[in-house]
Amino acid sequence: MKAKAVFYHAGCPICVTAEQSIANAIDPSRYDLEFVHLGEEKARVAEAESVGVKSVPALLIDDTPFHINFGASISDLK
Amino acid sequence: MKAKAVFYHAGCPICVTAEQSIANAIDPSRYDLEFVHLGEEKARVAEAESVGVKSVPALLIDDTPFHINFGASISDLK
């Protein structure tokens, strides 16, 4: 069974770069990766915060949030 | 041909977590990932800086440095 991973972003340039490089490099045979645009899916901002996401882009993997460079603070997406 | 990627770290707890989750999730069929411990390989600190690494853990992929959370500043590893 594949593990679930979530890439939270907001469409910012730094987010796009991280998506194209890191998110797309994740092994699709082991991870089921979901892409969530927090600017468009405001309802999921609270979910992201609840798992520890403080800024985007961030990759939630193995239930741990990893902030990748810095595009925008999650507080600016509310 | 596989693309080259480098995971720079310093053995710190945050580095280890990032290595176990993100670095190990990188698709090995597409990327040839090298692990560099900058605390033990001081000679490569300059190399890391030259490609834009400012802190560890960091993943260099597609010639772009991605800083993952924050373990230590590269200036503290010299």
Side-chain angles (χ1 to χ4, degrees), chain A residues 24-49:
Chain A
N24 288 342
I26 299 296
D27 188 350
S29 72
R30 290 181 290 146
Y31 290 89
D32 183 9
L33 184 58
E34 180 184 14
F35 294 85
V36 177
H37 189 317
L38 291 177
E40 296 174 350
E41 297 187 65
K42 298 279 189 191
R44 298 191 65 175
V45 172
E47 165 201 308
E49 279 190 309

Side-chain angles (χ1 to χ4, degrees), chain A residues 39-68:
Chain A
E40 296 174 350
E41 297 187 65
K42 298 279 189 191
R44 298 191 65 175
V45 172
E47 165 201 308
E49 279 190 309
S50 74
V51 295
V53 172
K54 299 187 185 313
S55 63
V56 289
L59 182 62
L60 181 73
I61 193 165
D62 299 336
D63 296 320
T64 304
F66 294 96
H67 303 91
I68 301 168

Side-chain angles (χ1 to χ4, degrees), chain B residues 56-78:
Chain B
V56 289
L59 183 61
L60 180 74
I61 194 164
D62 300 336
D63 296 321
T64 304
F66 294 95
H67 303 92
I68 302 168
N69 288 344
F70 180 84
S73 170
I74 200 156
S75 61
D76 292 331
L77 299 173
K78 291 179 183 174

